Amino acid sequence: MTDAFNYDAWTSALERGELLGGRCQSCETTFGTPVMVCPDCSHRGLAPTPLAETGTVHTVTRIEVPPTGFEGPFFVGIVELEDARLTARIEADDGEPEIGDSVTFAGGLSAAPDGRVAPLFRLD
Amino acid sequence: MTDAFNYDAWTSALERGELLGGRCQSCETTFGTPVMVCPDCSHRGLAPTPLAETGTVHTVTRIEVPPTGFEGPFFVGIVELEDARLTARIEADDGEPEIGDSVTFAGGLSAAPDGRVAPLFRLD
Amino acid sequence: MTRASVVGVGMTTFGVHDQPLPELFGQAALDAIDDAGVMPGDIDSFYFGNAMGGQTENDTHLAPTLATEIGLAGIEAQRFEDACATSANAFKNAVEAVDAGIHDTVLVGGVERCTPETGKGTGAMTEIFASASHRQYEQPTGLTFPGVFALLTKRHMHDYGTTERQLAHVAVKNHYNGTNNPRAHFGTETTVEAVLDSPIVADPFHLMDCCPFSDGAAAVIVTSDDVADSYDEPVDVTGVGQATGRVPLGLKSDIHATQPARDATATAYEQADTTAEAVDFAEVHDCFTGAEILASEAIGFFEDGDGGPAAEAGRTAADGDRPINPSGGLKAKGHPIGATGVSQIVELTEQLRGDAGARQLDDPTRGLAHNLGGDAATTVISVLEVRG
Amino acid sequence: MTRASVVGVGMTTFGVHDQPLPELFGQAALDAIDDAGVMPGDIDSFYFGNAMGGQTENDTHLAPTLATEIGLAGIEAQRFEDACATSANAFKNAVEAVDAGIHDTVLVGGVERCTPETGKGTGAMTEIFASASHRQYEQPTGLTFPGVFALLTKRHMHDYGTTERQLAHVAVKNHYNGTNNPRAHFGTETTVEAVLDSPIVADPFHLMDCCPFSDGAAAVIVTSDDVADSYDEPVDVTGVGQATGRVPLGLKSDIHATQPARDATATAYEQADTTAEAVDFAEVHDCFTGAEILASEAIGFFEDGDGGPAAEAGRTAADGDRPINPSGGLKAKGHPIGATGVSQIVELTEQLRGDAGARQLDDPTRGLAHNLGGDAATTVISVLEVRG
Ligand SMILES: [Zn+2]
Ligand SMILES: [Zn+2]
């Protein structure tokens, strides 16, 4: 097994502005976030792999009532990057992101009160 | 059934400086705090009854490491008032309360960060 | 095949309560005990649900405390937490236990306080609810629980043409049903326009698409099939399915399928040897209007994509052909998290007994409860029937 | 009579971990799966324990998340919380389920993070632990969890003459045992003087009378008796008892009896058709040194009042006649709350298999686990035996 691809690796990369997914070394599916066992084929150990940096909005919502410590409103969506999906913040200069819109990875966003980083995408 | 003897009645009395226990109207046991069903005989509905204001220390500890929001050290003990027992703060002008010592009810103490009141006893 | 029977039910009003959790639960539990007419000494075990007492009230290890409050100190007890599916999972474990002969008679119940009576406001509660989404891969985005179901619902709207107006019809119908339920949090009607005019929480959901923060408790007495005959009005549990699904959202194949609900439904129908067509009504987990649409499809009441039009056409109203949430659902009855699953069982039992008063459906013989947790990654489906 | 069998065990080191709960748990669970050699598809259900993830890490609804992490998404799952008895209660429910034929093979496990890795310091953790005492009648006094056991122990000292020195011997013995356990939080010896010289937390407890805040996870695979034969090294579960007691402390008749432990022990011994004399060793819940003394009496290893002198005389050492906590116990092995109960089952299994390495006892055939929650108001007692 190669070095485990885990949360620490994923979030460290994000803090550096890199977006890593996990690629199953058996069925070759790519997932947007680490997981110890492949959900599709039960193989153990996903390898870190750079995700596509452009993709489309699979679904999105505008959060108007945020949790304590966050400033709203903002957009959260699931973005689809080739076969991988992950939950991310989406920013738009104007207008609203819609399902099917193209988005590009724009680094890690530290908006959470505890400083945890989330993937940020921008509407193309 | 008379008016239910519940937490609201118990704590309101304590805030007024009164110490109420619950007396089972069937087996006549007295308990230091309200409970909907008598633990001894399963009768429903305890009636509020003034507890004896002097009693003895059943057990006691000096808390040196308190929860957030409390100032330590302080003494917490179980006091025995005739047949009723309850957990209470115990204050001593000097020395330490010991098991078997006599104590007297000294009102409600609001030491908790949320302002909830606890029974306070003083070492005689 | 009867797996277990419900022989007694109890429930507080859902709304705002200032009592401590043990006293709030005690009301519901003593009512269930009295309704059954069970001797406390005959209760073998206590299956208890509370979702967030630690976070909202710094109150954990509640099972022995609640047992003491109602005169059952000493009893075997266990607390379950599975987010909003908390007490349905307690119920499922209880049904399995009496079905397998582990116990004869058990108390199942849940309690929760979510209103500002706990000292927590909207922001804090929104943060606490977010604890049921993925800590590492979802919470840092600021995703809220209305947000989670908004994501599922937006995709459903995209794929099937479901409209905000159809969603609003769910709220209108459930508010109307709530006016017939004396225990409901909301007892007033609303209109499609009022829903659509209310402020956005997480689009497409307006405030009036969302269930309220509620306090409340619910309890039932569950017995084995053979013990049930000695009680007055048993209602039979013929199927209980539970399934989980992938977390976080990004790992799910089809986010609005709510696959665990489909898996749990298949299990429950198989156990009950029944089908969606033979189920007369359902209580489903309408934490948001969109969730009711998804649930109505997952339990097979409607084909995928037909849930929205069916709601708009009134088919899920109490006098429709597929009644859903005659109690008012989470939307109008209220949603004290850990009490919700068992409160659905209370509603099913009362409907099947013919005891539902102003909200009584026309002689139903079989009902279904759908209770989900998180993004539906835990779902419990129960089928109850008039005793044959 | 075998009720169930343990066919695989896994456990992380207990100590300080910075991984998220799903990954920490995943290590232990995958190790247990590998140890058993079970096919993931053969696992029917997941009985999971976590006590305070909501309070410490805003992380709830963990069962589906953890299942996903280890490739078991879709599985039936339920989370238990019963304070420090959390995962023993999950274990007890799992044993009942396989014994009754509800499932053939289940995964049981627990995980917790209690160290400052969560961002919570001593004051905050002390407040969180206090959530297991009565919210209305105990917490407002400022009573802490060391304080609860201090109250029980002080009365035991008064009634039986138990001394602080005897308590310190428990810590010394458990620290010594911990030096032989590579997974222990503490791997260093201590002395009676060092314990007595350490600062007071809640008298009579010094800092060195208290177990540490730990992070960790433990998991076991439990199968039915007949399925167990297809595995390499099954260890049999012959009895599991659980009982609750009155809360708050003021309602208890005899506070240091820890009556639920006595009731649960009676049930477990009856199921296992055994007695304290026939039990070769025990893992007991020594959250504080005094708790081990009370437990050693409650499980019948010693007459009431003899626990203190027995500890001082070395009778509970690994080479004594009544070994207790050969793992190092909570005191030295560590106490990641929701993982503790299952970690005791891991230790029993390894000892009974003869796999315990440097801490291996002399050919034991029967062991007991004692896991309590709160002021002992929840206690679970399990008896495991070498497969006959
Ligand atoms: Zn794969
Ligand atoms: Zn009485």
Side-chain angles (χ1 to χ4, degrees):
Chain A
M1 200 162 85
T2 54
D3 257 344
F5 175 52
N6 57 20
Y7 174 65
D8 185 48
W10 184 85
T11 197
S12 300
L14 203 51
E15 282 165 5
R16 290 191 309 269
E18 291 173 47
L19 186 62
L20 295 180
R23 186 171 180 80
C24 175
Q25 295 173 291
S26 176
C27 74
E28 303 193 341
T29 311
T30 302
F31 302 91
T33 51
V35 60
M36 294 171 90
V37 177
C38 173
D40 280 4
C41 78
S42 295
H43 179 78
R44 282 197 203 162
L46 276 58
T49 185
L51 292 175
E53 300 216 338
T54 60
T56 56
V57 175
H58 183 70
T59 183
V60 62
T61 182
R62 185 176 80 253
I63 309 262
E64 295 268 358
V65 181
T68 295
F70 286 89
E71 288 283 331
F74 50 80
F75 299 100
V76 176
I78 300 176
V79 298
E80 194 158 68
L81 308 167
E82 292 169 355
D83 58 346
R85 287 187 199 149
L86 77 168
T87 304
R89 270 293 183 96
I90 302 177
E91 286 186 358
D93 281 335
D94 42 38
E96 299 223 349
E98 306 276 356
I99 292 174
D101 284 353
S102 293
V103 288
T104 299
F105 176 62
L109 174 79
S110 284
D114 64 0
R116 279 181 203 249
V117 70
L120 175 66
F121 283 75
R122 295 193 65 79
L123 196 60
D124 288 340
Chain B
M1 201 163 84
T2 53
D3 257 341
F5 176 52
N6 57 19
Y7 175 65
D8 183 51
W10 184 85
T11 198
S12 300
L14 203 51
E15 282 164 6
R16 291 191 309 268
E18 290 174 49
L19 186 62
L20 295 180
R23 186 172 181 78
C24 175
Q25 294 174 293
S26 174
C27 74
E28 303 194 341
T29 310
T30 303
F31 302 92
T33 51
V35 60
M36 293 170 92
V37 178
C38 173
D40 281 3
C41 79
S42 296
H43 178 80
R44 283 197 203 160
L46 276 60
T49 184
L51 291 175
E53 299 216 339
T54 60
T56 58
V57 175
H58 184 69
T59 183
V60 62
T61 183
R62 185 176 79 253
I63 308 260
E64 295 269 357
V65 181
T68 295
F70 286 90
E71 288 281 331
F74 50 79
F75 298 100
V76 175
I78 300 176
V79 298
E80 194 157 69
L81 308 167
E82 292 171 352
D83 58 348
R85 287 189 200 147
L86 78 168
T87 303
R89 272 293 184 93
I90 303 177
E91 286 186 358
D93 280 334
D94 42 39
E96 299 222 348
E98 306 275 356
I99 292 174
D101 284 353
S102 293
V103 289
T104 299
F105 177 62
L109 174 80
S110 285
D114 63 1
R116 278 181 204 249
V117 70
L120 175 68
F121 284 75
R122 295 192 64 80
L123 195 60
D124 289 339
Chain C
M1 265 285 293
T2 299
R3 300 198 65 195
S5 301
V6 176
V7 300
V9 300
M11 185 179 152
T12 66
T13 56
F14 282 4
V16 180
H17 290 283
D18 64 0
Q19 292 111 303
L21 292 172
E23 293 179 3
L24 188 57
F25 180 74
Q27 277 183 49
L30 294 178
D31 282 353
I33 288 169
D34 290 346
D35 181 49
V38 66
M39 294 290 100
D42 287 338
I43 301 175
D44 304 321
S45 192
F46 175 29
Y47 288 73
F48 170 62
N50 173 259
M52 50 177 64
Q55 293 158 281
T56 54
E57 311 198 44
N58 207 48
D59 209 351
T60 63
H61 197 227
L62 279 160
T65 306
L66 272 52
T68 301
E69 192 74 45
I70 57 175
L72 296 180
I75 196 169
E76 275 193 18
Q78 41 274 309
R79 173 202 166 193
F80 293 82
E81 180 274 333
D82 297 277
C84 302
T86 285
S87 63
N89 222 346
F91 178 72
K92 172 232 173 204
N93 275 270
V95 167
E96 289 180 338
V98 300
D99 187 27
I102 297 170
H103 302 297
D104 292 325
T105 305
V106 302
L107 170 65
V108 187
V111 66
E112 201 86 48
R113 295 204 316 164
C114 304
T115 70
E117 286 292 325
T118 62
K120 298 277 192 295
T122 298
M125 287 306 292
T126 299
E127 184 182 4
I128 289 172
F129 281 117
S131 72
S133 58
H134 202 290
R135 179 74 185 103
Q136 286 74 41
Y137 305 123
E138 294 177 332
Q139 291 183 38
T141 64
L143 184 60
T144 60
F145 245 84
V148 167
F149 279 88
L151 292 175
L152 308 189
T153 302
K154 281 282 282 286
R155 186 74 203 183
H156 193 272
M157 295 167 82
H158 175 267
D159 290 353
Y160 296 119
T162 311
T163 67
E164 285 196 33
R165 200 166 183 85
Q166 289 167 350
L167 301 180
H169 273 280
V170 172
V172 171
K173 180 261 297 177
N174 287 348
H175 267 259
Y176 176 77
N177 289 350
T179 64
N180 289 320
N181 187 348
R183 290 177 304 213
H185 193 151
F186 295 138
T188 51
E189 291 189 52
T190 190
T191 62
V192 169
E193 287 62 38
V195 175
L196 296 177
D197 286 348
S198 65
I200 291 283
V201 171
D203 92 292
F205 297 145
H206 299 260
L207 183 60
M208 289 290 289
D209 285 288
C210 305
C211 69
F213 296 134
S214 310
D215 307 324
V220 296
I221 304 292
V222 175
T223 72
S224 59
D225 184 20
D226 32 314
V227 170
D229 278 328
S230 63
Y231 289 91
D232 283 344
E233 293 188 280
V235 166
D236 289 343
V237 185
T238 53
V240 183
Q242 193 256 10
T244 62
R246 295 181 185 179
V247 179
L249 291 165
L251 297 181
K252 293 184 207 289
S253 311
D254 182 355
I255 59 164
H256 57 59
T258 62
Q259 193 57 42
R262 290 165 195 255
D263 296 344
T265 298
T267 302
Y269 286 168
E270 188 186 345
Q271 287 174 13
D273 191 21
T274 193
T275 62
E277 292 66 40
V279 174
D280 298 316
F281 72 105
E283 285 284 312
V284 310
H285 196 92
D286 59 321
C287 42
F288 308 99
T289 51
E292 177 165 320
I293 303 291
L294 303 189
S296 71
E297 297 173 3
I299 63 173
F301 271 30
F302 305 109
E303 293 293 317
D304 290 349
D306 290 352
E312 187 162 21
R315 295 185 59 192
T316 56
D319 61 358
D321 65 315
R322 302 307 262 150
I324 291 182
N325 284 327
S327 71
L330 284 61
K331 179 69 195 82
K333 186 182 64 182
H335 185 28
I337 310 298
T340 289
V342 168
S343 79
Q344 294 178 326
I345 303 301
V346 172
E347 180 70 13
L348 262 55
T349 302
E350 293 185 344
Q351 289 285 352
L352 293 168
R353 280 176 173 175
D355 279 352
R359 65 190 192 286
Q360 180 65 50
L361 299 172
D362 184 21
D363 212 18
T365 60
R366 186 178 289 108
L368 173 150
H370 161 285
N371 183 209
L372 64 77
D375 62 8
T378 295
T379 308
V380 182
I381 302 286
S382 308
V383 175
L384 273 68
E385 305 187 23
V386 168
R387 194 165 173 86
Chain D
M1 266 286 293
T2 299
R3 299 198 64 197
S5 300
V6 176
V7 300
V9 300
M11 184 177 152
T12 66
T13 56
F14 283 5
V16 179
H17 290 282
D18 65 0
Q19 293 111 301
L21 293 171
E23 293 180 3
L24 188 58
F25 180 74
Q27 279 183 46
L30 294 178
D31 283 353
I33 288 168
D34 290 346
D35 182 50
V38 66
M39 294 290 99
D42 287 337
I43 301 176
D44 304 322
S45 192
F46 175 28
Y47 289 75
F48 170 63
N50 172 259
M52 50 176 65
Q55 294 159 281
T56 54
E57 312 197 44
N58 208 47
D59 208 350
T60 62
H61 197 227
L62 278 160
T65 307
L66 272 51
T68 301
E69 192 73 45
I70 57 174
L72 297 180
I75 196 169
E76 274 193 20
Q78 40 273 311
R79 173 201 165 193
F80 293 82
E81 181 274 332
D82 298 278
C84 301
T86 285
S87 63
N89 222 347
F91 178 72
K92 171 233 173 200
N93 276 269
V95 167
E96 289 179 337
V98 299
D99 187 28
I102 298 169
H103 301 297
D104 292 325
T105 305
V106 301
L107 169 65
V108 187
V111 66
E112 201 87 47
R113 296 204 315 164
C114 304
T115 70
E117 286 292 323
T118 62
K120 298 276 192 294
T122 298
M125 287 306 291
T126 300
E127 183 182 4
I128 289 171
F129 281 117
S131 72
S133 59
H134 201 291
R135 179 75 185 103
Q136 286 74 39
Y137 304 124
E138 293 177 333
Q139 290 183 39
T141 65
L143 184 60
T144 61
F145 244 84
V148 166
F149 278 88
L151 292 175
L152 309 189
T153 302
K154 282 281 284 285
R155 186 73 202 185
H156 193 272
M157 295 166 83
H158 176 267
D159 290 352
Y160 296 118
T162 311
T163 66
E164 284 196 34
R165 204 167 179 85
Q166 290 167 351
L167 301 180
H169 273 279
V170 172
V172 171
K173 181 261 296 177
N174 287 349
H175 268 258
Y176 176 78
N177 289 350
T179 65
N180 290 319
N181 187 348
R183 292 179 302 214
H185 193 151
F186 295 139
T188 52
E189 292 190 51
T190 190
T191 63
V192 168
E193 287 63 38
V195 176
L196 296 177
D197 286 348
S198 65
I200 292 283
V201 171
D203 90 294
F205 297 144
H206 299 258
L207 182 60
M208 290 290 291
D209 285 288
C210 305
C211 69
F213 296 133
S214 309
D215 306 325
V220 296
I221 304 291
V222 175
T223 71
S224 61
D225 184 21
D226 32 314
V227 170
D229 277 329
S230 63
Y231 289 91
D232 283 344
E233 295 189 279
V235 166
D236 289 342
V237 184
T238 52
V240 182
Q242 193 255 11
T244 61
R246 296 181 185 179
V247 179
L249 290 165
L251 296 180
K252 294 185 206 292
S253 310
D254 182 354
I255 59 164
H256 57 60
T258 62
Q259 191 59 40
R262 290 165 194 254
D263 296 344
T265 298
T267 302
Y269 285 167
E270 188 185 347
Q271 287 175 12
D273 191 21
T274 194
T275 61
E277 291 66 40
V279 174
D280 297 316
F281 72 105
E283 286 282 312
V284 310
H285 196 91
D286 60 321
C287 42
F288 308 98
T289 52
E292 176 165 320
I293 304 290
L294 304 189
S296 72
E297 298 173 1
I299 63 173
F301 270 30
F302 304 110
E303 294 291 319
D304 290 350
D306 289 352
E312 187 162 19
R315 296 185 60 191
T316 56
D319 62 357
D321 64 315
R322 304 305 263 146
I324 291 181
N325 284 327
S327 71
L330 283 61
K331 178 67 194 80
K333 186 183 63 182
H335 184 29
I337 311 298
T340 288
V342 168
S343 80
Q344 294 179 327
I345 303 300
V346 172
E347 179 70 13
L348 262 55
T349 301
E350 293 186 345
Q351 289 285 353
L352 293 168
R353 282 176 173 176
D355 279 353
R359 65 191 193 286
Q360 180 64 52
L361 299 172
D362 184 20
D363 211 19
T365 60
R366 187 178 289 110
L368 174 149
H370 161 285
N371 183 209
L372 65 77
D375 62 8
T378 295
T379 308
V380 181
I381 302 286
S382 307
V383 174
L384 272 68
E385 305 187 22
V386 168
R387 193 164 174 86

